[in-house]
Amino acid sequence: MDGMLSQEEINALLGGGDDDSGAGFDDAPGAGGSSATSNSEGRLSPEEGDALGEIANISMGTAATTLSVLINNRVEITTPTLSYVTVEDLKERNQAPCVFIYIGYRTGLEGKNVLVLKERDVKVITDLMMGGDGTNTDVELSDLHLSAISEAMNQMMGSAATSMSTMIDEMVDISPPTSIRVDFDDDAGLENVLKDMAGKLFAQVSFKMVIGDLIDSEIIQLYPLPFARMLYEKFKHTMTNEEESAPAPQPMPQPMPQQAPQPAMMPQQPMPQMGAMPMNGMPPQDLNIQPAQFQNFMPTQNLNGIAPENIDLIMDVPLEVTVELGRASKSIKEILDFSPGTVIELDKLAGEPIDVLVNGKFVAKGEVVVIEENFAIRVTEIIKD
């Protein structure tokens, strides 16, 4: 090929001559010499890797939308990258503590995957959830932080499970996630927490996560290889069924051959029959056709266009009249701080007309008056649509 390498030769060079090295994945540093890399599970095929990346991309996109609503901030998550890692690799790469969130599936899928977040990112997200500005990160990570991030991940991965249900055409549901702080410098604690993950190879799906100007970091999903393969099989089965159920393309209609002109013949006049219409569209001359007449069902109306005999039927229907002094928007943190004596500032100015609502519909404005010992409202303006 004029001295240029073919794509197969390039793949062989990058994969060390092994055609089954998992094209489409970036080998994790340090994973190539570990026993986990050459374990019996092997690596994912290129098709399995592509399917896992597509599923993770769509699922995490839905989860990002949910997180954006929870923290009232714009959340951007980029296209994922896939690689192979072990827990030992994560220990070498992450010097600071992390938070592992375990996501278990109880319907549709069997198994679990792990989300990995940096400790600082967890503090920022939970601070925003509790009404802060996301800068309160100097405090120690507590059980409150872990509980809050578990709830956030529960809603995020719940929405992701809904997207996954569509992709595999099967109901998917998750168990409540559990969060654990992992300090990679603590060998004793690390062994107890990650004992089930030691020595195993995981498919790592990494996303760049940006939250305003507070977080520019990375969120990681770890998939056990059997779980990743199960996802691929279900995804492949759904795609196959959709292709089989797709309607076959219809052939283009062939032009009809032109026939030779026939000699003109005088048409025979058919005998008129009751209920029959001649071919020329004109009714028979001997039928007596009259226009249809219908009874007038419209009620008699008065000068104002209102039917009094009908409106009387609903005169006794009770309606709820509400007088609204004003409204205020508060965060959950501010509401939890309410106590006797707390002053809540409303969006109405002193002396501004008060809104009158009937069954929740804004109908009038008025002013507050006192009649004997009761409050009342004097209507000053009727609101018309």
Side-chain angles (χ1 to χ4, degrees), residues 306-385:
I306 302 175
E309 63 273 18
N310 289 342
I311 197 69
D312 289 341
L313 298 176
I314 61 173
M315 284 295 187
D316 295 333
V317 175
L319 301 178
E320 182 179 356
V321 179
T322 305
V323 177
E324 188 175 277
L325 296 178
R327 299 189 180 189
S329 178
K330 299 291 182 182
S331 66
I332 295 177
K333 184 173 184 287
E334 291 173 320
I335 292 176
L336 293 177
D337 291 337
F338 282 178
S339 62
T342 299
V343 177
I344 303 175
E345 184 178 355
L346 304 177
D347 58 358
K348 291 283 187 180
L349 299 176
E352 191 174 351
I354 305 302
D355 297 338
V356 180
L357 297 88
V358 176
N359 275 18
K361 182 177 178 59
F362 181 35
V363 297
K365 292 184 177 181
E367 56 185 6
V368 177
V369 297
V370 177
I371 299 178
E372 296 180 354
E373 296 182 356
N374 296 327
F375 284 108
I377 186 166
R378 180 188 292 115
V379 175
T380 59
E381 181 183 356
I382 299 297
I383 304 300
K384 297 183 180 179
D385 295 335

Side-chain angles (χ1 to χ4, degrees), residues 165-236:
S165 300
T166 304
M167 286 184 283
I168 67 174
D169 196 22
E170 188 174 349
M171 177 65 181
V172 177
D173 193 16
I174 63 171
S175 301
T178 57
S179 301
I180 300 176
R181 180 180 182 271
V182 176
D183 187 355
F184 290 100
D185 293 334
D186 184 6
D187 293 333
L190 185 64
E191 183 178 356
N192 293 330
V193 173
L194 306 178
K195 59 182 179 180
D196 294 335
M197 301 174 62
K200 294 183 179 180
L201 187 65
F202 292 87
Q204 174 182 277
V205 184
S206 305
F207 300 84
K208 181 180 179 182
M209 180 176 63
V210 178
I211 301 179
D213 56 356
L214 298 171
I215 293 180
D216 188 354
S217 183
E218 186 180 48
I219 181 172
I220 296 174
Q221 282 185 300
L222 300 179
Y223 289 89
L225 297 185
F227 182 73
R229 290 193 176 94
M230 178 179 60
L231 270 178
Y232 168 73
E233 291 299 330
K234 289 182 176 290
F235 184 72
K236 178 182 177 182

Side-chain angles (χ1 to χ4, degrees), residues 264-276:
M265 299 181 63
M266 293 296 294
Q268 297 181 358
Q269 295 292 336
M271 295 296 293
Q273 298 179 1
M274 181 63 68

Side-chain angles (χ1 to χ4, degrees), residues 12-158:
L13 288 175
L14 294 178
D18 185 3
D19 293 337
D20 194 25
S21 59
F25 285 82
D26 296 328
D27 288 348
S34 64
S35 60
T37 306
S38 58
N39 63 5
S40 59
E41 293 178 347
R43 295 175 179 243
L44 299 176
S45 66
E47 293 78 10
E48 292 170 338
D50 292 341
L52 179 63
E54 180 66 18
I55 293 172
N57 189 30
I58 297 176
S59 300
M60 192 55 65
T62 307
T65 303
T66 303
L67 179 61
S68 179
V69 175
L70 287 175
I71 63 178
N72 195 25
N73 262 270
R74 180 178 177 84
V75 178
E76 298 179 7
I77 293 182
T78 61
T79 304
T81 58
L82 297 103
S83 59
Y84 290 113
V85 296
T86 63
V87 175
E88 291 73 18
D89 298 328
L90 294 176
K91 180 179 179 181
E92 293 178 2
R93 300 177 188 180
N94 297 275
Q95 303 300 326
C98 297
V99 175
F100 279 42
I101 301 105
Y102 295 88
I103 311 297
Y105 295 84
R106 59 186 179 186
T107 304
L109 299 173
E110 296 180 3
K112 65 174 60 176
N113 64 336
V114 182
L115 272 76
V116 183
L117 289 171
K118 295 181 179 179
E119 184 180 43
R120 180 188 175 278
D121 298 344
V122 171
K123 293 179 181 179
V124 172
I125 293 174
T126 53
D127 187 43
L128 291 172
M129 290 177 61
M130 292 185 286
D133 57 3
T135 60
N136 188 21
T137 58
D138 295 333
V139 297
E140 183 179 356
L141 191 72
S142 63
D143 291 340
L144 179 61
H145 292 94
L146 296 178
S147 177
I149 199 64
S150 294
E151 178 57 29
M153 293 300 129
N154 187 32
Q155 298 193 34
M156 287 176 60
M157 300 311 296

Side-chain angles (χ1 to χ4, degrees), residues 270-289:
M271 295 296 293
Q273 298 179 1
M274 181 63 68
M277 183 69 71
M279 297 300 293
N280 60 6
M282 297 297 295
Q285 298 297 325
D286 57 347
L287 294 181
N288 184 15
I289 301 177

